[in-house]
Amino acid sequence: LVKLVNPGLMWETKETVNIGFDASFLDQRLTLSAEYYNSETKDVLADTPIAMSTGNQGGTPKSNAASLRNRGFEFTVGWKDQISDFKYSALLNVTTLNNKVLSLGAGKESIDSGPSRTQPGRSLAEFYVLKTDGIFKTQEEIDNYVTDDGRPITINGKRPQLGDVKYLDLYRDENGNQDASITDNDRTFCGSPWAKMQMSFMFNAEWKNFDFSMMWNGQFGNKIYNVAQWQGRLFADNSN
């Protein structure tokens, strides 16, 4: 096989702007910190489609074509004090993130990878899957699983059974009609794996020869893809 390579590959570049301040009060017992960040990464490696007529038979070569941006705020507040033999301190940090793909290069509109799709103007690797509306609990719900014009909807070519996941038939043709079948055409963006906000809290205490510490972390605003539940989603084809 003949595989074309790109001899001009280089490291990606990142431009970051940070604006913030730090302050302390009450004899430095209370500390505050706030920062805005805007980071743009350019020349990210991406596959570049090459026609086989060029002699390339080894897939798509890499090129420095894509770019993305991360921006957000970071806030930190801390407190420390000592009362006789008892010393303690606490620190709270909150960070927000807005992730956006600016370009995939080479005129590419999207990149699919498993249940995810990367598309300019959206977050990196957002979940692009079939949208659900619960499960079929009664035969009446199955009988009513039809298109707007009354045609029965099939999943993998079969009518659903009790306990199957109810997928939404979202695809519309040029005339606005449903195709009465759940296929990849019905996939849609269903959330981002990237947390919109992350939070951490740390607490430390000391008294004579004893000490105690704890740390809590949390993230909010992201979606999680339940692969195990997806694999057992159908009774109609015995995949459950």
Side-chain angles (χ1 to χ4, degrees):
L1 293 179
V2 177
K3 182 176 181 180
L4 298 181
V5 296
N6 183 358
L9 291 180
M10 58 184 180
W11 292 103
E12 64 183 34
T13 59
K14 180 183 290 187
E15 297 177 359
T16 303
V17 175
N18 297 80
I19 302 175
F21 73 90
D22 298 296
S24 61
F25 307 92
L26 303 175
D27 293 329
Q28 297 187 343
R29 287 182 296 172
L30 174 64
T31 57
L32 298 174
S33 175
E35 180 180 8
Y36 166 79
Y37 66 92
N38 184 50
S39 175
E40 184 172 334
T41 305
K42 301 178 181 179
D43 300 321
V44 179
L45 289 179
D47 292 331
T48 304
I50 299 293
M52 293 186 66
S53 59
T54 62
N56 179 56
Q57 298 176 321
T60 55
K62 302 289 185 180
S63 65
N64 298 99
S67 60
L68 57 89
R69 185 200 68 206
N70 292 303
R71 62 168 53 156
F73 295 90
E74 182 173 0
F75 303 96
T76 303
V77 56
W79 174 264
K80 61 180 180 179
D81 199 5
Q82 180 172 354
I83 303 174
S84 187
D85 293 332
F86 180 70
K87 295 188 296 184
Y88 68 98
S89 63
L91 186 71
L92 175 67
N93 177 269
V94 178
T95 303
T96 66
L97 171 65
N98 182 290
N99 172 270
K100 184 177 181 179
V101 177
L102 303 178
S103 173
L104 295 176
K108 299 186 69 172
E109 297 182 356
S110 63
I111 297 176
D112 289 344
S113 177
S116 303
R117 169 171 285 187
T118 297
Q119 180 176 303
R122 308 189 69 97
S123 297
L124 180 70
E126 284 193 33
F127 293 122
Y128 190 72
V129 295
L130 298 174
K131 197 169 185 178
T132 63
D133 186 26
I135 62 174
F136 292 101
K137 298 180 180 179
T138 66
Q139 185 60 43
E140 181 181 6
E141 291 181 349
I142 296 177
D143 296 338
N144 292 331
Y145 189 52
V146 296
T147 62
D148 296 337
D149 56 3
R151 290 175 294 148
I153 300 174
T154 60
I155 304 175
N156 291 344
K158 300 179 181 180
R159 287 289 285 169
Q161 296 185 10
L162 293 176
D164 283 354
V165 175
K166 183 179 181 181
Y167 292 105
L168 299 184
D169 189 13
L170 300 179
Y171 174 74
R172 299 291 189 275
D173 60 22
E174 61 274 9
N175 298 318
N177 299 318
Q178 297 167 278
D179 60 3
S181 179
I182 302 300
T183 66
D184 282 346
N185 290 331
D186 296 297
R187 295 170 68 188
T188 187
F189 287 103
C190 292
S192 170
W194 309 106
K196 295 180 179 179
M197 182 176 71
Q198 293 181 314
M199 180 181 298
S200 63
F201 175 74
M202 293 178 287
F203 179 81
N204 296 282
E206 296 181 22
W207 180 74
K208 295 186 177 181
N209 294 326
F210 299 92
D211 63 83
F212 171 82
S213 63
M214 66 177 181
M215 181 172 64
W216 296 76
N217 293 290
Q219 60 183 43
F220 312 89
N222 61 307
K223 299 295 183 179
I224 298 175
Y225 187 67
N226 191 331
V227 178
Q229 185 174 0
W230 173 81
Q231 290 177 334
R233 69 197 185 283
L234 293 177
F235 286 89
D237 62 356
N238 294 322
S239 64
N240 187 289

